[in-house]
Amino acid sequence: MDTNEILDYCLAKKGVTETFPFDNETLVMKVDTKMFLLMGLERQPLSINVKTDPEWSAELRERHPQITGAFHMNKTHWNSVSVDGLKRELILKLIDHSYDLVFKSLTKKVQIKINNL
């Protein structure tokens, strides 16, 4: 997958916005006001940070050398994923999982508002 495919996939989800809160190279995808994906636009190979359930994180890190604890983030909940060599289905599953975890952490009122978009 490339940057544009990941960006398009994320933006197709309800309530998602793209921001650059840190610098001009780190794209942050948010649902409402909460981050669910970060992507370094200038970084090669392409890498994304996604939120992941801690138990699944451990399993992913054992199985895939491309998945490690996310730099500058809580490594219990965030993984860096080098997309090279990973199946598209796994990358999409990781993005969906991250979005779902963050969406579920939003208030019911905000969830309802987003679902009605």
Side-chain angles (χ1 to χ4, degrees):
M1 290 189 76
D2 66 22
T3 303
N4 289 328
E5 289 176 292
I6 292 170
L7 178 62
D8 291 344
Y9 188 77
C10 291
L11 288 173
K13 295 182 170 300
K14 287 188 174 190
V16 171
T17 57
E18 58 180 305
T19 64
F20 289 89
F22 306 118
D23 55 41
N24 292 332
E25 297 174 6
T26 306
L27 175 64
V28 176
M29 306 302 292
K30 293 182 178 182
V31 56
D32 191 46
T33 61
K34 295 189 174 200
M35 299 186 301
F36 74 94
L37 182 138
L38 293 88
M39 180 168 41
L41 298 178
E42 301 298 320
R43 190 166 176 171
Q44 291 299 321
L46 178 60
S47 179
I48 60 174
N49 286 0
V50 289
K51 192 165 190 174
T52 315
D53 174 81
E55 288 181 23
W56 195 34
S57 284
E59 179 184 326
L60 288 164
R61 291 175 194 173
E62 287 177 17
R63 281 194 180 160
H64 306 281
Q66 302 94 326
I67 300 176
T68 60
F71 187 64
H72 285 307
M73 301 186 83
N74 182 327
K75 290 165 184 47
T76 301
H77 298 281
W78 286 87
N79 282 316
S80 285
V81 179
S82 178
V83 301
D84 283 357
L86 289 179
K87 292 184 179 180
R88 175 184 173 87
E89 295 79 25
L90 177 58
I91 297 165
L92 296 179
K93 186 175 180 178
L94 289 165
I95 294 169
D96 290 342
H97 182 73
S98 184
Y99 175 89
D100 292 343
L101 282 175
V102 173
F103 184 84
K104 289 175 186 173
S105 75
L106 300 172
T107 66
K108 292 292 181 197
K109 182 179 179 181
V110 172
Q111 289 178 17
I112 290 167
K113 180 182 106 183
I114 291 170
N115 279 328
N116 289 328
L117 293 176

